[in-house]
Amino acid sequence: MRKLRVLLVGAAFSADLHSDGYSRIRDKAAIVGICDKDLDRVRALAKRYGFEDYAAYDDYETAIRDCDCDLVDICMPNFLHHDVAILALQRGRDIICEKPLATTVEDARDMVDTAARLDRRIYYAEDWLFAPAFRKALAILRSGQLGRPLYIRARECHSGSHSPFAQSIRYCGGGCMVHLGVHPVGFMLALKENRWRELTAMTSGGRAKNLIHRAMEGEDWAGAFLRFEDGMTATVEANYTTVGGMEDVLDIYCEQGCIHVDLSFSGPVKVFSIPGLDYTVEKAEITTGWSTPAVDEKYNLGYCGEIDHFVSCALAGTDAQVGLRGVDGLETLKVIHLIYRSAREGVHITNDRLEA
Ligand SMILES: NC(=O)c1ccc[n+]([C@@H]2O[C@H](COP(=O)([O-])OP(=O)(O)OC[C@H]3O[C@@H](n4cnc5c(N)ncnc54)[C@H](O)[C@@H]3O)[C@@H](O)[C@H]2O)c1
């Protein structure tokens, strides 16, 4: 069977998440190149996952020019997504791009337009859509057994990004809403095929106005209300004020039932440790006392399913499912920028692109 040849660009946190996915489908995908300006990270990543026949690069322009691959997987800081994507698309490669698609709507639109013009595909890495627990919730919802969904509340929150790039809007594109809220927003838009009708939002505002992170240019608290074309409403929330580990929570309220999913804190394993464990769940500050260590965390957060889906699509030459295409990354970023506008100007925004 033909294997998809993948060039990984970036060898840090998200490259690790994706690599776990590739390492489980070695019959379908081969890592043929890894690029990071820090070559120690390249070597460490390859060693961790047993990637052997790959070329190492410390410069993405050289990597994209020289590496004989089918797909470029972009695991770089947000502000580099656009430039790396355009180079890869022009070189005739499909791309996987981490969230957010870009730091500005203009850059994201340029990526989508360039891919369309060159007949290439963008696979937008929204892992929430492949988290098995969220998929189970959606399957129950779609079965109709709870009646019509009326209201969904979704949030991703933790105590602050590990990335120095997250401190500045120029590098990140915003604060916690673009960094974390991108997941619940993308998830809700996918569920409703991007047919949102109106939104209104508040954020902490950034810098001195923030609740905790006053050196951070972007906001550390943000929430938005959305209404969709079919009348369903949603609250999406993101913050950097949540301690104890990353919260990924989904609450779905229907006419005849409800569903509650706690993706990151629920699990079958309970541990009490006096000295503390080396790891429990993503972003947990301490690991002493009672904890619920994640079981196969990368799989359960959706990264493995997402990579498997993208590799299968790229091998077959097809688009990803709704929510995971370049256009979905673009719509998610547009909505996030409208959330920022609503919060900044105190205005309620309607989607004038939705035909009456
Ligand atoms: N889906 C998720 O849950 C999730 C989680 C974490 C990060 N991300 C996304 O993944 C992307 C990468 O974030 P991250 O946390 O992995 O790491 P990061 O942003 O800290 O950096 C990624 C890597 O890029 C390398 N790099 C930076 N500039 C470079 C250049 N010019 N040339 C070559 N290498 C360069 C760095 O050395 C680093 O190893 C971001 O877009 C982020 O939003 C997604």
Side-chain angles (χ1 to χ4, degrees):
M1 189 169 102
R2 182 169 86 86
K3 285 190 192 183
L4 191 78
R5 296 164 307 163
V6 177
L7 165 63
L8 268 175
V9 182
F13 190 79
S14 62
D16 178 86
L17 304 173
H18 292 201
S19 293
D20 191 302
Y22 292 118
S23 73
R24 301 184 196 214
I25 49 168
R26 289 176 204 267
D27 55 328
K28 290 205 286 190
I31 302 299
V32 294
I34 309 178
C35 171
D36 198 295
K37 63 183 181 188
D38 182 343
L39 282 172
D40 286 343
R41 287 192 184 157
V42 171
R43 287 185 279 268
L45 184 73
K47 187 159 177 254
R48 203 173 313 134
Y49 290 99
F51 301 141
E52 281 171 355
D53 298 319
Y54 71 94
Y57 304 93
D58 62 4
D59 169 67
Y60 67 79
E61 290 186 29
T62 312
I64 289 168
R65 189 190 63 215
D66 292 352
C67 186
D68 192 14
C69 64
D70 304 302
L71 177 139
V72 175
D73 183 347
I74 304 171
C75 294
M76 295 282 265
N78 300 356
F79 74 102
L80 290 171
H81 291 184
H82 170 266
D83 292 3
V84 178
I86 298 295
L87 275 182
L89 293 167
Q90 286 172 340
R91 185 77 178 84
R93 313 307 188 202
D94 292 328
I95 62 164
I96 294 175
C97 187
E98 255 305 337
K99 59 79 189 170
L101 196 57
T103 48
T104 66
V105 172
E106 292 68 33
D107 278 358
R109 189 175 289 120
D110 187 38
M111 290 161 70
V112 169
D113 290 348
T114 303
R117 186 164 42 79
L118 298 174
D119 197 21
R120 292 292 97 209
R121 289 193 169 76
I122 297 178
Y123 298 115
Y124 171 62
E126 179 40 74
D127 50 278
W128 268 40
L129 289 166
F130 268 96
F134 285 168
R135 285 175 88 81
K136 178 71 180 174
L138 290 183
I140 293 169
L141 187 65
R142 288 185 173 128
S143 75
Q145 296 171 91
L146 305 183
R148 200 163 57 93
L150 304 171
Y151 169 55
I152 297 186
R153 190 164 52 214
R155 66 176 185 269
E156 180 166 293
C157 308
H158 59 58
S159 57
S161 172
H162 62 276
S163 173
F165 296 113
Q167 298 304 311
S168 134
I169 291 177
R170 181 170 151 248
Y171 291 127
C172 185
C176 58
M177 182 49 83
V178 80
H179 211 67
L180 307 184
V182 72
H183 294 297
V185 170
F187 181 88
M188 291 307 311
L189 290 175
L191 185 64
K192 293 293 167 188
E193 302 198 345
N194 297 328
R195 302 189 71 79
W196 66 276
R197 186 169 283 292
E198 53 188 320
L199 69 82
T200 197
M202 282 176 76
T203 75
S204 54
R207 294 246 193 248
K209 292 188 226 136
N210 277 347
L211 302 180
I212 295 180
H213 301 268
R214 300 215 167 80
M216 208 178 98
E217 199 182 355
E219 77 289 349
D220 66 357
W221 175 89
F225 295 114
L226 289 121
R227 196 190 313 273
F228 294 87
E229 189 183 34
D230 62 1
M232 199 197 83
T233 51
T235 305
V236 289
E237 192 201 338
N239 70 55
Y240 285 140
T241 62
T242 300
V243 292
M246 183 171 75
E247 275 185 6
D248 276 355
V249 174
L250 183 64
D251 301 303
I252 304 176
Y253 300 89
C254 305
E255 281 170 325
Q256 296 184 66
C258 59
I259 310 175
H260 298 285
V261 187
D262 175 353
L263 200 58
S264 35
F265 289 130
S266 53
V269 183
K270 311 282 177 213
V271 175
F272 183 85
S273 169
I274 293 170
L277 303 180
D278 56 0
Y279 185 83
T280 53
V281 295
E282 185 176 336
K283 302 280 185 310
E285 292 84 3
I286 56 166
T287 61
T288 50
W290 282 108
S291 63
T292 309
V295 178
D296 204 349
E297 190 173 40
K298 291 169 207 163
Y299 176 81
N300 283 314
L301 291 177
Y303 302 110
C304 301
E306 152 197 289
I307 292 297
D308 189 19
H309 179 64
F310 291 154
V311 167
S312 297
C313 290
L315 282 169
T318 56
D319 279 339
Q321 70 173 56
V322 173
L324 295 149
R325 306 161 303 175
V327 287
D328 302 313
L330 170 60
E331 188 65 21
T332 300
L333 195 63
K334 277 187 198 164
V335 167
I336 286 174
H337 279 255
L338 291 173
I339 285 173
Y340 283 147
R341 202 187 124 212
S342 170
R344 203 172 45 243
E345 299 175 11
V347 292
H348 183 78
I349 293 173
T350 50
N351 186 359
D352 51 15
R353 284 169 293 120
L354 206 61
E355 63 275 17

